[in-house]
Amino acid sequence: QVQLVESGGGLVQAGGSLRLSCAASGSIFKVSIMAWYRQAPGKQRELVAAITSGGSTNYADSVKGRFTISRDNAKSTVYLQMNSLKPEDTAVYYCNWDTYYSGSYWGQGTQVTVSS
């Protein structure tokens, strides 16, 4: 079964940067939207950023101007560049791929911790 695998999480000081990556363990065809979600302890999972197959992007207000989502269709990978990180960005970050014909895929999550 094809899985999404995230990498790049870790511990960083406030103001620092991290780059998350998400790649599929096998082939996933006709991916429409690639997105990053996050879930902090005691909170609901929320959308952080999304990118369509055509390159249109959407961001949560809380990360606009600090985070950038991008995708490499040739490598079947989506990235999340996170700059000027804040302690409130601390969460488990999940990638999600929506496809036209085979449903939705989730990664296992990667922990991002921002210390003050």
Side-chain angles (χ1 to χ4, degrees):
Q1 184 175 354
V2 177
Q3 295 180 328
L4 299 182
V5 181
E6 299 111 334
S7 60
L11 174 64
V12 65
Q13 288 188 333
S17 298
L18 285 174
R19 188 193 195 207
L20 305 183
S21 300
C22 174
S25 62
S27 297
I28 299 178
F29 299 102
K30 300 294 185 182
V31 179
S32 58
I33 298 174
M34 294 179 172
W36 288 95
Y37 288 75
R38 68 185 180 188
Q39 187 166 19
K43 294 188 177 181
Q44 288 189 330
R45 190 172 297 187
E46 63 174 355
L47 177 67
V48 176
I51 184 167
T52 69
S53 57
S56 297
T57 58
N58 183 45
Y59 296 93
D61 288 343
S62 59
V63 306
K64 282 181 181 176
R66 301 188 297 121
F67 290 10
T68 302
I69 189 171
S70 60
R71 64 192 280 174
D72 186 332
N73 290 324
K75 295 182 179 180
S76 294
T77 303
V78 62
Y79 304 97
L80 185 67
Q81 178 66 45
M82 305 186 293
N83 299 328
S84 302
L85 282 161
K86 303 175 181 180
E88 51 264 43
D89 295 317
T90 295
V92 177
Y93 285 70
Y94 299 89
C95 67
N96 170 259
W97 293 13
D98 272 338
T99 69
Y100 289 107
Y101 304 117
S102 58
S104 183
Y105 294 79
W106 287 92
Q108 81 288 351
T110 185
Q111 177 70 47
V112 171
T113 303
V114 184
S115 63
S116 57

